[in-house]
Amino acid sequence: AVKRSGKNGVRLYSGHLMDQDERRQMLERELRHAQERGQLYLEFQPICTVPTGHPVCLEALVRWQHPEFGVVGPDIFIPIAEDCGLIPSLGEWVLSHALTAAARWHAAGFTAVRVAVNISPLQMMQPQFAQTVAQELARAGLPPPALELEVTEGIDMRGRIQVEHSVLGIRALGVRLSLDDFGSGFASLSRLNELPVDVVKIDRMFVSDLTGVVARSRRRYVRTLISAMVTVAATLGLELVAEGVETSEQYDELAALGCTHAQGYLFSPPVPEAGVVPLLGHVAQNEVL
Ligand code: C2E
Ligand code: MG
Ligand code: MG
Ligand code: MG
């Protein structure tokens, strides 16, 4: 029997309670077939302008629908895919399907709305990565600036030379780069100057602490930090996205601090592809944002 649990996504029983290793091995075994069995799908969550709330981009987020486990989230299976060599293929599936979806909303007239795809550092380490991106864009018939690749700060820690090669290749294509979860790792504000990115996404931990039940000194620190990010982003001409915006209180703070973009449940949870065009409905078609 299999039982789902909210927090960890899946809890598996097979007579006895599985330990971590068994659960992990089971997920890995099943994940090897997920793609060919059509169990992967994408959801999309809008990134909106502040203060007008117009969606300018949709972030593709992969999910795994397993017949017994239910829906497994990427926080659980992406690390497994990275460990067992499945990520290049899974990542290509995501890229290809995200671009196909974006081509549909472009065909529906929403040509100013980009798609953002999360990229694992292991994908960036593939010598052919930029070429794959170019091929997928051509197949989907989309211009490179319609695509944003979200990478995390850690990317320059491993395989630095190869990652730099991919970054340069991506930039040469005209694809946009976005630094995800900023502040959660090692990148500092001063490093932003050296990174060839177009977008910086403030980790949702900061957004949550902005108005959360934390020490007043912590709230003050987070406010100062975000304010500094706003200044640096403006100076460097970067788009600054606050992640995980859930309340209008957070939104008001972020707007007052000068944040230009926001993403979170306040605007919309991630929705299936069919929900995207209705979300875009209130954006004027072909509007330049
Ligand atoms: P991320 O790229 O930072 O994506 C944002 C995560 O925050 C998503 O979780 C999203 O559902 C969640 N989120 C959005 N708004 C809110 C909010 O207001 N409050 C809270 N608490 N959470 C919010 P999700 O979909 O579970 O994805 C988790 C992570 O998995 C992503 O974090 C990303 O790092 C990774 N991921 C997702 N899809 C892919 C993919 O296709 N490839 C790779 N390599 N990684 C992926
Ligand atoms: Mg992301
Ligand atoms: Mg993030
Ligand atoms: Mg994340």
Side-chain angles (χ1 to χ4, degrees):
V2 174
K3 191 164 173 272
R4 291 205 60 208
S5 88
K7 189 77 186 144
N8 292 319
V10 275
R11 246 166 94 195
L12 310 171
Y13 294 92
S14 57
H16 67 296
L17 205 61
M18 284 183 152
D19 68 26
Q20 288 279 19
D21 284 354
E22 287 174 299
R23 177 176 175 274
R24 161 93 189 202
Q25 280 163 23
M26 172 115 161
L27 285 171
E28 181 179 324
R29 252 190 334 268
E30 291 295 302
L31 188 57
R32 290 187 182 281
H33 304 287
Q35 205 176 317
E36 77 207 29
R37 290 177 182 163
Q39 295 170 354
L40 299 178
Y41 68 98
L42 297 179
E43 287 189 331
F44 296 88
Q45 187 183 34
I47 297 171
C48 301
T49 55
V50 175
T52 44
H54 281 170
V56 290
C57 183
L58 287 140
E59 179 175 4
L61 296 158
V62 67
R63 278 89 180 81
W64 174 21
Q65 167 79 62
H66 187 276
E68 290 164 69
F69 311 158
V71 177
V72 185
D75 278 335
I76 293 183
F77 70 85
I78 293 289
I80 299 177
E82 287 176 335
D83 282 354
C84 66
L86 293 171
I87 202 70
S89 151
L90 195 155
E92 257 185 60
W93 185 94
V94 170
L95 179 65
S96 166
H97 284 75
L99 288 171
T100 300
R104 286 199 199 103
W105 71 68
H106 275 234
F110 301 103
T111 53
V113 182
R114 301 186 290 264
V115 65
V117 177
N118 291 283
I119 300 296
S120 160
L122 295 175
Q123 290 176 270
M124 299 283 285
M125 282 172 60
Q126 296 185 284
Q128 304 303 314
F129 182 66
Q131 200 178 313
T132 304
V133 172
Q135 282 164 1
E136 285 302 325
L137 279 166
R139 187 198 47 78
L142 285 172
L147 174 64
E148 218 160 77
L149 298 180
E150 296 196 2
V151 296
T152 49
E153 296 172 18
I155 60 159
D156 53 356
M157 306 312 289
R158 293 175 285 177
R160 191 185 176 114
I161 303 285
Q162 193 44 62
V163 169
E164 274 171 10
H165 174 80
S166 288
V167 166
L168 292 177
I170 289 161
R171 298 290 312 194
L173 290 174
V175 167
R176 291 159 59 92
L177 269 181
S178 175
L179 189 58
D180 207 349
D181 305 332
F182 184 77
S184 66
F186 303 104
S188 61
L189 276 176
S190 56
R191 272 278 282 144
L192 277 186
N193 200 20
E194 302 155 27
L195 296 170
V197 296
D198 307 278
V199 184
V200 179
K201 301 185 81 174
I202 305 172
D203 194 80
R204 72 164 179 265
M205 171 186 63
F206 297 117
V207 172
S208 141
D209 286 355
L210 198 54
T211 58
V213 189
V214 291
R216 192 179 297 170
S217 60
R218 170 68 182 170
R219 281 210 300 272
R220 211 163 35 225
Y221 169 75
V222 167
R223 197 168 299 139
T224 307
L225 188 75
I226 293 176
S227 171
M229 287 185 191
V230 167
T231 305
V232 172
T235 307
L236 298 175
L238 309 178
E239 190 173 285
L240 188 65
V241 182
E243 296 191 288
V245 181
E246 296 180 355
T247 68
S248 48
E249 200 190 349
Q250 289 167 344
Y251 177 83
D252 291 344
E253 279 276 349
L254 291 160
L257 288 169
C259 231
T260 58
H261 294 76
Q263 176 181 13
Y265 300 154
L266 180 67
F267 300 95
S268 168
V271 298
E273 196 203 321
V276 169
V277 165
L279 262 180
L280 298 178
H282 68 280
V283 184
Q285 296 203 340
N286 300 313
E287 183 179 354
V288 180
L289 295 164

